[in-house]
Amino acid sequence: RLVSAPQVQLMGVPSGELEPETLVTDLVSTVEEIMAELSSRVLQSDDALRESLQREFGAMMRQWLGLKPKQMVNIIRI
């Protein structure tokens, strides 16, 4: 489970008609939704979790902005 909200930073990503703050807020909400839907098997593996989040994040950015920016997913476990 998440103990805090995901952190999203955008660097060099054109937002088009979307305000950057709105885009970040939407991305954080979407990451929370994705995390809630993942299987326990995926959630237990850092590599599987990272790959799943990168795939979903890339698909979202392609849909919203028409591009797939470079991305980095950091996972911190407590």
Side-chain angles (χ1 to χ4, degrees):
R1 73 181 168 87
L2 294 171
V3 293
S4 68
Q7 296 180 11
V8 174
Q9 291 180 309
L10 300 174
M11 297 176 65
V13 177
S15 60
E17 296 178 11
L18 297 173
E19 292 294 324
E21 296 81 21
T22 302
L23 182 58
V24 168
T25 300
D26 289 349
L27 288 171
V28 167
S29 296
T30 303
V31 168
E32 290 172 336
E33 291 172 15
I34 292 169
M35 294 284 295
E37 295 174 0
L38 291 174
S39 71
S40 61
R41 184 181 60 79
V42 170
L43 292 172
Q44 291 174 1
S45 166
D46 289 348
D47 289 336
L49 177 57
R50 184 178 297 106
E51 289 172 14
S52 181
L53 288 172
Q54 285 178 325
R55 183 177 50 253
E56 294 294 331
F57 182 77
M60 286 184 320
M61 295 303 285
R62 275 192 306 275
Q63 179 182 7
W64 291 352
L65 302 175
L67 55 93
K68 182 181 175 188
K70 290 188 181 249
Q71 53 188 307
M72 182 185 319
V73 173
N74 294 309
I75 299 169
I76 300 171
R77 294 201 186 257
I78 298 176

